[in-house]
DNA sequence: AAGTTACGTCAGCCATGTTGACATATTTGG
DNA sequence: CCAAATATGTCAACATGGCTGACGTAACTT
């Protein structure tokens, strides 16, 4: 089981990695693009929370994503220190393309695993996640939510 | 689902990573130690196959594992060019300790996901793995097998 | 004896993580 | 209103673990 998870994760990321490589990006760019795409108006601090990396690491990839026009920043409406992040059309296209590959793979695997596979696998994966993060993840995943999703709210 | 897999994998590796960090090792060492522990007598070439990294990358971590006496090498019985790899007692202890953390986490998650969760999750994960690798993975996981497991056979 | 195989190694590059220190703009609280 | 806290950016330096290319040696095979 331990090994299965290792191999599964490796192959789960392989196709996107290959595409990203062609345009000079890596997995780190993918993660940022993905979460910004899924949660428009995300702030830098939110992203740091989600990815659990340092702002210096994030800055490096974010700078590239912005300078190559995959991601766009605008100052927060109610707090102008914030940089709310949004994907551009170009960014959305890439995000969707990569997400599609992964979604298809997972969908096929769920199909192979039978009728209740989706519910069961979801429960399983959520239970693998550290307890302290589960609430946050639930919000992030199912909600497209509050703290972050509404571009004009004050968040926090 | 895509996100769940990301977070699950991150947390799945977090505890081992923390322990490894304390002794100056990283995830790469873990992977090598793990597969050698599970498949005693593994050859370097087998490991390259499984991990899909270059021999230079492998050499770096393997050298450390050997020099710090976690892994031991002996020339192959029927082909003395081969280096058959085995964990030492020290290596086994570390491998077991790390494996235990991960196994417990997965076991708890399976329990949370219900009765058939194990079978279903296994099927799911296997289906996520690239078709071309599935046979290899199956051998590796369930077998503790032929090509590799018997320390005196000629393999291949 | 020649070629192939299994493995090791040197050298250097790249991506992505880290820490620590400091700058700047903006908001907030006393 | 000013001082402190906050959100973000940035410079510098470093570690890990991938990569390529080139070359060496021992052992097996033909």
């Amino acid at each position: 089981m331990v090994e299965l998870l290792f191999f599964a994760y490796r192959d789960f990321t392989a196709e996107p990695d290959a595409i990203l490589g062609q345009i000079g990006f890596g997995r780190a760019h993918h993660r940022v693009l993905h979460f910004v795409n899924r949660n428009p108006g995300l702030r830098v601090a939110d992203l740091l929370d989600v990815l659990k990396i340092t702002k210096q690491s994030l800055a490096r990839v974010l700078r590239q994503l912005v300078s190559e026009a995959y991601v766009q920043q605008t100052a927060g409406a109610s707090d102008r220190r914030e940089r709310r992040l949004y994907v551009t059309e170009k960014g959305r296209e890439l995000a969707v393309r990569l997400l599609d590959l992964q979604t298809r793979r997972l969908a096929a695997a769920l199909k192979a695993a039978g009728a209740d596979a989706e519910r069961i696998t979801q429960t399983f994966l959520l239970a693998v996640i550290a307890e302290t993060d589960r609430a946050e993840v639930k919000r992030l995943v199912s909600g497209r939510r509050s703290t972050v999703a509404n571009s004009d709210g004050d968040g926090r």
Side-chain angles (χ1 to χ4, degrees), chain A:
Chain A
M1 198 76 164
V2 167
E3 287 96 342
L4 282 181
L5 195 47
F6 164 67
F7 290 120
Y9 193 75
R10 187 184 63 185
D11 289 350
F12 170 68
T13 56
E15 286 178 326
D17 283 356
I19 290 176
L20 289 157
Q22 287 170 9
I23 56 177
F25 284 166
R27 204 177 293 181
H29 301 85
H30 187 186
R31 293 201 268 259
V32 171
L33 185 64
H34 176 85
F35 283 107
V36 172
N37 181 50
R38 293 277 232 198
N39 303 275
L42 206 65
R43 294 168 302 157
V44 169
D46 297 318
L47 217 33
L48 292 178
D49 248 35
V50 169
L51 301 177
K52 286 191 183 149
I53 58 175
T54 59
K55 67 176 167 178
Q56 293 90 331
S57 292
L58 175 58
R60 200 156 31 198
V61 297
L62 188 52
R63 196 184 312 139
Q64 290 176 274
L65 286 168
V66 169
S67 83
E68 298 185 31
Y70 288 89
V71 168
Q72 187 183 345
Q73 302 177 326
T74 68
S78 63
D79 184 340
R80 308 199 31 250
R81 289 171 305 181
E82 296 174 355
R83 307 293 158 94
R84 311 300 289 222
L85 303 172
Y86 303 89
V87 295
T88 61
E89 183 51 29
K90 186 180 175 189
R92 203 191 60 81
E93 273 167 23
L94 180 57
V96 167
R97 185 173 166 212
L98 299 175
L99 183 57
D100 228 53
L101 287 171
Q102 298 191 311
T103 300
R104 276 179 212 280
R105 179 178 289 267
L106 295 188
L110 286 176
K111 198 172 167 192
D116 324 342
E118 177 150 16
R119 188 182 50 77
I120 291 177
T121 306
Q122 235 161 39
T123 309
F124 166 75
L125 290 175
L126 194 62
V128 171
I129 296 170
E131 246 178 300
T132 37
D133 295 352
R134 271 175 224 162
E136 167 93 11
V137 169
K138 273 184 189 163
R139 263 190 307 141
L140 249 174
V141 168
S142 56
R144 297 306 92 120
R145 93 304 208 163
S146 63
T147 325
V148 140
N150 50 355
S151 49
D152 60 292
D154 76 333
R156 263 296 153 268

